């Protein structure tokens, strides 16, 4: 693998729980708990897990919408959390975040052309004269028409709004796009169009993606490597083919067994997980998954399994592997 574009090293993001008159800290929600991963230039890395697994907090911590508790977030070798505000401002265009609902970040009274172009002006990356042409170019890249530039957000469908969200990110010419559940709110046919757009843009622009989703079947279509998170911890990382054909962690197996497949590529028995994801403020001792794992042994309740490489590029945290 070539040198990493993004490297997370033992990243922790904890949120304090306060109580009482003086707001004393009485505990922490361990949203991200000791995560390490690398993403190479041009790669698409998928981060999956149930709601509450901490995957969105990973994305937000990378771009410093949330401050880390400890560990490192290195982009092109620089720890983003060590940079001054001025240095961070220079790097910001290079890392763009796309959300599930781009509509909420659009001002209903601002025309789409202005909404897409404002960041370009803000960062001094274009003059007012150049702006219209650049916005029209990026609209075209995202499958929208040049006349959309003068329309207002309410005039767009869900799929078109997500294209606008992608255009807003793309106009800053980023190296890394963090897409947080970008297709979850869309119909299946529109999902396929947006995934194809992500793929096309990667081919033409050499983009790198961190694609965050609760849906393994969506991630399968786009990502070359996948990380599976549970309760703030990484449970398994492998290439897409390896993960789908040879999942090792019981949690990954359970997620995969829930994907409906008309013609299964690999025969899988359905594994139904009992109970809900535990409270991240008070995670179970030992393996965090032991309260729901059908294979849990005594050791699982006592010792945290080491996240280790079991075959080349396949890492897993489980005592039984
Ligand atoms: Fe299940 Fe134990 Fe493996 Fe955790 S360490 S996933 S509880 S078998």
């Amino acid at each position: 693998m070539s040198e990493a574009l993004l490297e997370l090293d033992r990243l922790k993001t904890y949120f304090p729980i306060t109580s009482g008159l003086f707001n004393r800290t009485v505990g922490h929600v361990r949203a991200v708990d000791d995560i390490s991963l690398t993403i190479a230039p041009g790669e698409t890395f998928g981060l999956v897990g149930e709601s509450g697994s901490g995957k969105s907090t990973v994305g937000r911590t990378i771009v410093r919408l949330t401050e880390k508790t400890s560990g490192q977030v290195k982009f092109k070798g620089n720890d983003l959390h060590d940079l001054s505000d001025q240095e961070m401002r220079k790097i910001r265009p290079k890392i763009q975040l796309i959300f599930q609902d781009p509509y909420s970040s659009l001002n209903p009274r601002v025309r789409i052309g202005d909404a897409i172009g404002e960041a370009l002006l803000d960062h001094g990356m274009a003059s007012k004269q150049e702006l219209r042409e650049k916005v029209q170019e990026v609209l075209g890249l995202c499958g929208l028409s040049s006349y959309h530039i003068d329309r207002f957000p309410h005039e767009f469908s869900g799929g078109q709004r997500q294209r606008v969200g992608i255009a807003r990110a793309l106009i800053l010419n980023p190296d890394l796009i963090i897409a947080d559940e970008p297709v979850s709110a869309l119909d299946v046919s529109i999902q396929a169009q947006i995934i194809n757009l992500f793929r096309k843009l990667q081919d033409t622009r050499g983009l790198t993606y961190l694609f965050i989703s609760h849906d393994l079947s969506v991630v399968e279509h786009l990502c070359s490597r996948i990380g599976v998170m549970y309760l703030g911890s990484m449970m398994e990382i492998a290439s897409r083919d390896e993960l789908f054909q040879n999942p090792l962690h019981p949690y990954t197996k359970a997620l995969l067994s829930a994907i409906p497949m008309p013609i299964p590529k690999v025969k899988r028995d359905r594994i139904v997980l009992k109970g809900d994801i535990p409270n991240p403020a008070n995670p179970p001792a030992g393996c965090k998954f032991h309260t729901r794992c059908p294979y849990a042994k005594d050791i699982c309740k006592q010792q945290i399994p080491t996240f280790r490489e079991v075959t080349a590029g396949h890492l897993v945290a489980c005592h039984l592997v």
Side-chain angles (χ1 to χ4, degrees), residues 35-54:
I35 294 278
S36 298
L37 62 88
T38 55
I39 304 180
E43 189 179 22
T44 303
F45 189 95
L47 201 53
V48 296
E50 288 167 286
S51 156
S53 61

Side-chain angles (χ1 to χ4, degrees), residues 10 35 120 127 134 152 220 284 302:
R10 308 209 66 174
I35 294 278
L120 212 52
S127 64
K134 283 188 182 277
F152 289 97
E220 183 189 12
Q302 290 146 14

Side-chain angles (χ1 to χ4, degrees), residues 9-263:
D9 185 20
R10 308 209 66 174
L11 182 66
K12 293 183 184 176
T13 307
Y14 292 179
F15 298 111
I17 304 165
T18 56
S19 170
L21 203 56
F22 299 107
N23 276 339
R24 273 193 320 136
T25 301
V26 293
H28 287 92
V29 172
R30 301 179 195 186
V32 177
D33 200 7
D34 212 357
I35 294 278
S36 298
L37 62 88
T38 55
I39 304 180
E43 189 179 22
T44 303
F45 189 95
L47 201 53
V48 296
E50 288 167 286
S51 156
S53 61
K55 55 195 188 309
S56 293
T57 309
V58 171
R60 294 176 66 85
T61 309
I62 292 169
V63 294
R64 282 181 62 180
L65 285 176
T66 299
E67 287 301 315
K68 70 176 184 183
T69 301
S70 65
Q72 290 188 315
V73 180
K74 284 189 180 172
F75 178 73
K76 296 185 175 176
N78 298 308
D79 189 339
L80 296 178
H81 287 250
D82 281 349
L83 300 181
S84 65
D85 289 349
Q86 212 178 0
E87 288 167 328
M88 191 62 202
R89 194 176 148 73
K90 276 193 205 149
I91 282 193
R92 246 180 225 293
K94 293 289 160 201
I95 310 172
Q96 288 297 300
L97 198 56
I98 296 174
F99 295 103
Q100 177 178 351
D101 176 17
Y103 192 59
S104 59
S105 61
L106 292 169
N107 184 332
R109 284 187 285 273
V110 173
R111 290 180 199 276
I112 286 300
D114 295 332
I116 293 174
E118 65 183 356
L120 212 52
L121 287 180
D122 205 32
H123 285 281
M125 291 168 70
S127 64
K128 278 199 167 160
Q129 291 71 32
E130 295 167 323
L131 198 62
R132 199 168 171 87
E133 196 182 317
K134 283 188 182 277
V135 172
Q136 279 176 334
E137 186 190 328
V138 84
L139 282 173
L141 269 173
C142 294
L144 294 164
S145 301
S146 51
Y147 59 78
H148 284 125
I149 197 168
D150 293 317
R151 299 247 166 118
F152 289 97
H154 72 270
E155 296 178 83
F156 289 81
S157 67
Q160 285 176 324
R161 282 176 198 156
Q162 197 48 282
R163 288 176 191 271
V164 169
I166 297 169
R168 274 184 111 182
L170 212 59
I171 201 159
L172 293 170
N173 199 21
D175 293 324
L176 172 67
I177 288 189
I178 300 171
D180 190 358
E181 303 277 9
V183 297
S184 302
L186 305 175
D187 292 343
V188 174
S189 62
I190 311 293
Q191 280 188 359
Q193 290 175 19
I194 299 296
I195 287 171
N196 287 339
L197 175 61
F198 275 119
R199 227 188 251 137
K200 188 181 108 190
L201 293 172
Q202 185 168 48
D203 291 344
T204 53
R205 295 270 183 129
L207 290 169
T208 305
Y209 294 124
L210 172 58
F211 197 88
I212 297 169
S213 176
H214 69 282
D215 189 342
L216 260 170
S217 56
V218 166
V219 163
E220 183 189 12
H221 286 107
L222 192 66
C223 301
S224 49
R225 268 192 321 137
I226 297 171
V228 180
M229 280 184 75
Y230 182 79
L231 211 58
S233 298
M234 193 66 84
M235 295 290 147
E236 186 162 9
I237 293 180
S239 70
R240 174 194 48 203
D241 293 346
E242 173 73 2
L243 194 90
F244 273 77
Q245 282 160 25
N246 184 30
L248 296 177
H249 197 282
Y251 180 56
T252 313
K253 289 180 185 176
L255 290 182
L256 286 171
S257 78
I259 301 177
M261 285 190 197
I263 308 166

Side-chain angles (χ1 to χ4, degrees), residues 249-251 287 289-290 293 295-297 300 305 317-320:
H249 197 282
Y251 180 56
C287 172
F289 188 55
H290 84 252
C293 179
Y295 312 106
K297 302 270 180 275
C300 306
C318 176
H319 289 304
L320 300 193

Side-chain angles (χ1 to χ4, degrees), residues 282-291 299-305:
N282 187 21
C287 172
K288 287 180 178 175
F289 188 55
H290 84 252
T291 52
I299 187 178
C300 306
K301 298 173 191 163
Q302 290 146 14
Q303 278 182 31
I304 299 171

